[in-house]
């Protein structure tokens, strides 16, 4: 069987967790392919609201297997807390959750290096979640990393010590004020590793190849969003992994010709946490209203998310880079009550009108050009089918479909699993 992909098309937090949970009943396996505990994927159902970090969003479905792929970076400390948070639901992790031996491990010193690097950048900081993501991927590509499979070796702690010592020297080199007590951090880390070792470690690429051969259905779950991709995002204000479709191939060992549907998720407007350019950002009452109604606060750091109008130039770019075959529009309910809606359909780039995402989208180069549309007043959150949609919402959706040339198959009208309308 082929593999379907689900990806965020903006700067993250599009609602990936919710949709993976909605779609899980169609799949045997849910597999996360990149990122780590910088992600916060929110699921809401039956009065439960739960945020997942590294664990795939299919975990609440007993019959599905959740794979953490080789492209993911795992912090044992965060991971064990995540497991503890799930304890009350009596899930069978030994059976339903399996981890790639090739996934890299975030060490306590990776988190410290993240903090030192950000402190040294001053105003130019990335706005990282400070979970150690960048330093861990640097050690991966630098061929110094420690992997889950290493935990099965007798001498892995020697390797750990050598790497941690090197990190301490690097932290000194930054010459910034990062206070820490490594002994405390290590005690917590080694205890967490022991808990982690009770789970099942596998050669996940082989597992997924066999699953495909045996006709199992697989959904690959992305973290972050396309505009945070290390290659195609708004560099350097990005994360350190490939968040786009290609990342699912390298992060799971899925061959490109085995990819079937690519589900692209976007909010009906745009948000971003952390630093970096954001052409359609709103600095006025309208932006504050979006943030308030949309409850736009980071699921991991609690930081307020910056808000702005939908940017079709950026969205088209993400659709192309990923080869999106079906779109899902989230948080349409948040836009109820805005008299007029704006959609950015082109950029004024250094005095010239363009329709593609240029190398640099900093405010001094780019001014968005908007198409204005009628808003709708109706509350969407109780709606259950497309026939109930106000005319203006249908016009908004039709306009986006025409511009993006991909069908919008799901419209989400609230955070709950049930507030999902199929078109
Ligand atoms: P993810 O990282 O892509 O999984 O998204 P997050 O969980 O970080 O952020 C999405 C937020 O929006 C969460 O609080 C969700 O519960 C919420 N959410 C998802 N879909 C909708 C929707 O259609 N309407 C509203 N109002 N909230 C939604
Ligand atoms: P989910 O999967 C939104 C952002 C950070 C920062 C930049 C780099 O929930 O959509 P990092 O910690 O990776 O070094 O941070 O990327 N970022 C996210 N923004 N959602 C996320 O994940 C994010 N993961 C990282 O805010 O700007
Ligand atoms: Mg999130």
């Amino acid at each position: 069987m082929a593999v379907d992909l689900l990806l965020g098309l903006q700067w993250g937090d599009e609602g990936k967790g919710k949709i993976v949970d909605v779609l899980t009943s169609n799949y045997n396996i849910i597999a996360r392919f990149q990122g780590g505990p910088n992600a916060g994927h929110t699921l809401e159902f039956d009065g439960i609201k739960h945020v997942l970090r590294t664990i795939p969003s299919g975990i609440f479905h007993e019959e599905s297997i959740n794979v953490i792929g080789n492209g993911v970076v795992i912090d044992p400390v965060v991971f064990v807390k995540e497991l503890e948070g799930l304890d009350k639901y009596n899930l069978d992790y030994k059976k339903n959750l399996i981890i790639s031996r090739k996934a890299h491990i975030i060490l306590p010193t990776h988190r410290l290096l993240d903090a030192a690097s950000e402190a040294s950048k001053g105003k130019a900081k990335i706005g990282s979640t400070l979970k150690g993501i960048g330093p861990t991927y640097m050690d991966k590509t630098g061929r110094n990393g420690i992997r889950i499979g290493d935990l099965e070796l007798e001498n892995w702690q020697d390797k750990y010590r050598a790497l941690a010592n090197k990190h301490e020297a690097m932290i000194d080199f930054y010459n910034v004020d990062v206070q820490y007590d490594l002994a405390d951090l290590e005690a917590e880390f080694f205890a967490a590793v022991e808990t982690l070792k009770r789970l099942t470690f596998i050669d996940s690429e082989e597992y997924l190849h066999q699953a495909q051969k045996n006709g199992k259905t697989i959904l690959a779950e992305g973290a972050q969003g396309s505009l945070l991709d290390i290659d195609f995002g708004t560099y350097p204000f990005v994360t350190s992994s490939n968040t786009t479709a290609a990342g699912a191939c390298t992060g799971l060992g899925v061959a490109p010709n085995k990819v079937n549907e690519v589900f692209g998720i976007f909010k009906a407007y745009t948000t971003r946490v952390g630093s970096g350019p954001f052409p359609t950002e709103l600095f006025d009452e309208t932006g504050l209203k979006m943030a308030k109604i949309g409850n736009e606060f980071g699921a991991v750091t609690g930081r307020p998310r910056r808000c702005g109008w939908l940017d079709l130039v950026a969205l088209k770019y993400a659709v192309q880079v990923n080869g999106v075959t079906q779109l899902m529009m989230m948080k349409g309910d948040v836009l109820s009550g805005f008299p007029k809606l704006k959609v950015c359909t082109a950029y004024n780039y250094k005095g010239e009108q363009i329709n593609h995402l240029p190398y640099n989208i900093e405010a001094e180069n780019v001014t968005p050009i908007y198409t204005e549309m009628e808003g709708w007043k109706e509350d969407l959150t109780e709606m259950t089918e497309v026939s109930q949609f106000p005319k203006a919402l249908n016009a908004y959706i039709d306009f986006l479909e025409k511009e993006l040339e991909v069908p919008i198959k799901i419209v989400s009208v609230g955070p709950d699993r049930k507030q999902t309308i199929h078109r």
Side-chain angles (χ1 to χ4, degrees), residues 310 312 343-345 371-373 393-405 408:
L310 189 64
L312 281 184
V343 178
C344 167
T345 44
T371 297
E372 200 172 79
M373 304 196 65
L393 171 60
N394 280 326
Y396 191 75
I397 294 171
D398 290 346
F399 180 73
L400 302 187
E401 278 188 332
K402 216 152 122 213
E403 289 281 319
L404 297 167
E405 300 178 82
I408 297 178

Side-chain angles (χ1 to χ4, degrees), residues 38-247:
N38 50 348
H41 294 181
T42 314
L43 282 62
E44 279 194 48
F45 56 91
D46 303 340
I48 293 171
K49 177 175 173 174
H50 198 88
V51 180
L52 293 165
R53 308 287 300 280
T54 319
I55 296 177
S57 302
I59 195 72
F60 286 98
H61 296 250
E62 270 172 39
E63 62 291 353
S64 75
I65 302 290
N66 291 269
V67 177
I68 298 179
N70 56 279
V72 176
V73 291
I74 301 173
D75 183 334
V77 176
V78 180
F79 191 82
V80 166
K81 287 199 184 118
E82 208 178 333
L83 288 180
E84 285 165 4
L86 287 170
D87 270 351
K88 53 181 179 282
Y89 304 111
N90 286 324
L91 308 170
D92 187 357
Y93 316 126
K94 188 77 196 152
K95 184 168 139 261
N96 288 347
L97 180 60
I98 50 187
I99 306 178
S100 170
R101 289 199 173 91
K102 294 194 173 79
H104 280 247
I105 299 178
I106 302 176
L107 310 185
T109 42
H110 282 132
R111 289 199 307 263
L112 297 170
L113 276 171
D114 221 353
S117 166
E118 283 284 76
S120 75
K121 285 193 160 97
K123 274 198 176 137
K125 71 174 186 184
I126 309 294
S128 165
T129 61
L130 301 179
K131 303 300 170 206
I133 304 296
T136 306
Y137 279 115
M138 279 163 73
D139 272 337
K140 173 177 177 174
T141 51
R143 296 158 295 179
N144 298 311
I146 297 184
R147 300 188 289 176
I148 289 292
D150 291 333
L151 302 178
E152 295 171 326
L153 306 174
E154 286 283 310
N155 66 343
W156 81 270
Q157 294 212 7
D158 298 343
K159 207 171 162 186
Y160 167 85
R161 180 53 51 211
L163 191 54
N165 287 347
K166 183 175 144 194
H167 289 162
E168 280 205 280
M170 289 164 73
I171 294 163
D172 286 346
F173 175 80
Y174 276 112
N175 198 19
V176 289
D177 185 26
V178 176
Q179 305 283 340
Y180 62 93
D181 179 340
L182 191 56
D184 269 4
L185 295 173
E186 284 183 344
E188 189 186 33
F189 175 73
F190 287 120
V193 164
E194 288 313 307
T195 308
L196 184 64
K197 280 163 85 174
R198 286 191 223 130
L199 296 189
T200 310
F201 301 161
I202 55 159
D203 297 330
S204 56
E205 62 282 21
E206 170 62 13
Y207 177 87
L208 293 173
H209 293 157
Q210 288 306 330
Q212 287 175 68
K213 248 184 168 169
N214 296 331
K216 303 276 189 219
T217 49
I218 303 171
L219 177 66
E221 174 179 5
Q224 290 80 54
S226 300
L227 302 176
L228 289 171
D229 182 276
I230 183 71
D231 282 282
F232 300 107
T234 46
Y235 192 89
F237 301 102
V238 294
T239 191
S240 299
S241 64
N242 281 116
T243 59
T244 44

Side-chain angles (χ1 to χ4, degrees), residues 290-326:
M290 266 178 202
K292 189 158 177 250
I293 303 175
N295 192 24
E296 295 296 355
F297 294 92
V300 171
T301 57
R303 292 178 292 175
R305 296 180 184 137
R306 301 153 63 191
C307 294
W309 296 116
L310 189 64
D311 182 342
L312 281 184
V313 179
L315 203 51
K316 267 184 203 165
Y317 171 82
V319 165
Q320 275 160 8
V321 169
N322 292 302
V324 171
T325 60
Q326 297 187 28

